[in-house]
Amino acid sequence: MSSGILDLASLTGAGLTAGLADARTANPVGTILVVDDLESNARLLERMLVSDGHRVLIAHDGLEALERVRVDHPDLVLMDVLMPTLGGFETCRRLKSDPATRLVPVVLVTALQEGGDRLLGLEVGADDFICKPVTSQELTARVRSLVRIKRYTDDLDTAESVILSLAMTIEARDATTEGHCQRLSRYGVDFGRTLGLAPEEIAALALGGVLHDLGKVGVPDAVLLKPSRLTREEFVIMQQHTLIGDRLCGELRSLRRVRPIVRHHHERLDGSGYPDGLRGDAIPLLAQIMSVVDVFDALTAVRPYKLAVAAEDAYDELFREADRGWRRRDLVEAFVALEPGERS
Amino acid sequence: MADATRSFDRWLHDVRNQLSIILGFSEILLQELEGDDARRHDLQEIHDAAERAMGAMGRVPQKEDESGR
């Protein structure tokens, strides 16, 4: 029997990533920026790389390299260490400290022999270090390996962007929830900071605010947008959004802390929630936090079929839910104790 | 003393750089030449000489810096 839910089971984050990766890493050739003040050295590396199928760009010092990376987005930078104006170490440090370029692999190529220079290279964020003389076999093997990793990084980034875009379509479909995701992100981050959570947990709450209802893309409009009370069958369909969202996040490593929020933000401490009926501490803390801010925002926002409830009344409702055994009272108290400015 | 060490290191670096260019291009040409090309032997001599010179560079006694390293 059809559940009426779109079949999105196979469209997982991991599936997206694997599909893209298979297509793009089978032949890992890319655009390589060679940086060397010695023209003959640059031409030598170019010869070796072009014969392996890569496209090669050349820069003659660090400043030119920074500009080429910014404009041409190479897949890899092969850079000499000793260069005039701006050397390889400093250029590498600048590339790795700029969020726009930090994921571009940098290989330092040098005729220096000092072990200390290798260490310094690693300290400034270089991904690899090659000593001259370079054989074409060694060079092409290392470059192919790093270009393949770069492709995976690009694809993960792409898959995460697709998932986030998908989540934003929920708000586009249901105009009555406009701004809900952004508010939840903000509340979640403020609440997480107040609770003294670790930075990676706060980051998960920021992303969880946007992604928590991701699975609603798989819920039909007739159910999602129904202005009146859902029937029992429709509610069962609606509940599936937690499972669909969890599957969509898939095995994306960057979303691993967010998945528990997506799956468990409708659980209740007494086991009466969904989808797994988890009890007590078995419900992940981040999901419990998202649940508090989700209910608060749902109550205090204006919807076509209801007026906004005052914040004080929303607090009372959260405390009543704590009394019923649905949520932790201490979490509700901590949320209520937030300064109003931290929730607006 | 530190200046002398630095300029010696720089000299080593520059010579290794030039030798690696000779080695790299001769290696590419050796790969591209047909097996029975009459120039292969001469080219191999250039490549091997550069390789020996690179090996000799590695045996140059390293000067100690001021810390006695």
Side-chain angles (χ1 to χ4, degrees):
Chain A
M1 187 182 76
S2 167
S3 64
I5 301 170
L6 294 176
D7 179 17
L8 291 170
S10 60
L11 183 62
T12 64
L16 279 173
T17 307
L20 287 167
D22 286 350
R24 299 180 63 208
T25 59
N27 186 24
V29 293
T31 300
I32 316 297
L33 176 64
V34 172
V35 191
D36 203 311
D37 59 314
L38 206 56
E39 184 67 28
S40 300
N41 260 336
R43 282 195 48 231
L44 173 62
L45 295 177
E46 181 184 30
R47 276 290 303 272
M48 292 175 172
L49 293 167
V50 166
S51 66
D52 198 41
H54 301 284
R55 174 176 172 248
V56 174
L57 308 170
I58 291 177
H60 298 94
D61 62 40
L63 288 175
E64 190 185 349
L66 292 174
E67 179 66 8
R68 295 304 297 259
V69 172
R70 194 180 63 77
V71 173
D72 297 307
H73 309 291
D75 295 303
L76 179 77
V77 178
L78 272 176
M79 187 155 53
D80 188 24
V81 169
L82 291 182
M83 292 185 294
T85 62
L86 195 65
F89 291 134
E90 176 59 17
T91 307
C92 181
R93 193 192 62 73
R94 291 192 193 183
L95 287 171
K96 293 298 182 180
S97 57
D98 182 347
T101 57
R102 69 189 164 86
L103 294 179
V104 180
V106 176
V107 179
L108 292 173
V109 187
T110 183
L112 295 169
Q113 279 188 304
E114 277 289 319
D117 290 315
R118 185 179 286 266
L119 282 178
L120 187 54
L122 294 173
E123 279 172 16
V124 295
D127 297 85
D128 205 351
F129 212 90
I130 298 180
C131 287
K132 295 173 187 172
V134 185
T135 65
S136 58
Q137 201 174 12
E138 180 191 20
L139 181 73
T140 54
R142 292 208 199 184
V143 166
R144 275 179 171 252
S145 169
L146 284 167
V147 168
R148 186 178 289 117
I149 292 169
K150 172 69 165 38
R151 291 274 183 268
Y152 282 126
T153 310
D154 289 347
D155 291 340
L156 281 172
D157 198 29
T158 306
E160 188 177 321
S161 300
V162 169
I163 297 285
L164 283 169
S165 303
L166 210 51
M168 298 316 290
T169 65
I170 306 297
E171 285 195 1
R173 275 173 75 197
D174 184 0
T176 63
T177 59
E178 191 179 354
H180 176 65
C181 289
Q182 283 79 1
R183 287 195 298 275
L184 253 58
S185 277
R186 206 165 58 236
Y187 295 162
V189 168
D190 293 341
F191 195 7
R193 283 193 182 128
T194 302
L195 294 171
L197 298 184
E200 57 272 22
E201 292 173 311
I202 292 170
L205 286 169
L207 211 48
V210 178
L211 294 177
H212 72 290
D213 277 343
L214 167 69
K216 285 184 177 174
V217 294
V219 177
D221 281 351
V223 175
L224 184 68
L225 307 178
K226 188 177 178 184
S228 53
R229 194 179 177 84
L230 299 179
T231 65
R232 179 182 293 271
E233 291 75 21
E234 288 166 341
F235 188 56
V236 169
I237 291 172
M238 183 63 106
Q239 286 180 332
Q240 296 296 306
H241 82 273
T242 51
L243 298 172
I244 296 169
D246 185 37
R247 279 202 301 272
L248 284 169
C249 290
E251 300 300 322
L252 275 182
R253 193 173 160 73
S254 58
L255 298 182
R256 69 190 188 285
R257 291 181 194 277
V258 183
R259 283 185 72 180
I261 296 174
V262 173
R263 186 179 181 102
H264 298 299
H265 69 282
H266 284 291
E267 304 282 3
R268 292 169 177 166
L269 286 191
D270 63 0
S272 65
Y274 61 89
D276 298 315
L278 297 183
R279 287 173 174 272
D281 290 343
I283 305 170
L285 176 62
L286 297 183
Q288 293 190 48
I289 290 171
M290 191 55 65
S291 176
V292 169
V293 298
D294 190 19
V295 168
F296 176 80
D297 189 68
L299 290 171
T300 53
V302 181
R303 299 283 160 86
Y305 50 87
K306 76 167 189 65
L307 295 171
V309 168
E312 294 303 322
D313 294 332
Y315 298 151
D316 288 345
E317 176 58 25
L318 285 169
F319 278 121
R320 277 195 292 277
E321 291 187 359
D323 291 341
R324 276 183 219 128
W326 290 2
R327 60 183 76 255
R328 275 169 49 177
R329 190 173 185 85
D330 61 334
L331 278 184
V332 176
E333 286 171 348
F335 179 68
V336 171
L338 283 175
E339 287 296 315
E342 291 173 287
R343 278 191 311 272
S344 57
Chain B
M1 188 65 175
D3 284 348
T5 303
R6 264 195 298 276
S7 83
F8 178 70
D9 286 347
R10 181 72 206 210
W11 176 83
L12 272 181
H13 167 270
D14 290 349
V15 177
R16 285 174 65 84
N17 235 342
Q18 299 302 326
L19 286 174
S20 69
I21 292 169
I22 298 171
L23 274 170
F25 277 111
S26 57
E27 181 198 309
I28 290 173
L29 288 175
L30 281 168
Q31 285 169 356
E32 290 177 355
L33 282 186
E34 297 295 331
D36 57 352
D37 192 303
R39 293 167 296 179
R40 172 171 286 280
H41 178 74
D42 296 347
L43 189 54
Q44 190 69 55
E45 287 289 351
I46 295 172
H47 179 274
D48 292 350
E51 204 163 57
R52 285 193 295 274
M54 188 67 91
M57 296 293 294
R59 292 194 297 275
V60 172
Q62 301 291 305
K63 287 195 174 185
E64 291 186 347
D65 63 20
E66 286 168 321
S67 64
R69 189 170 52 156

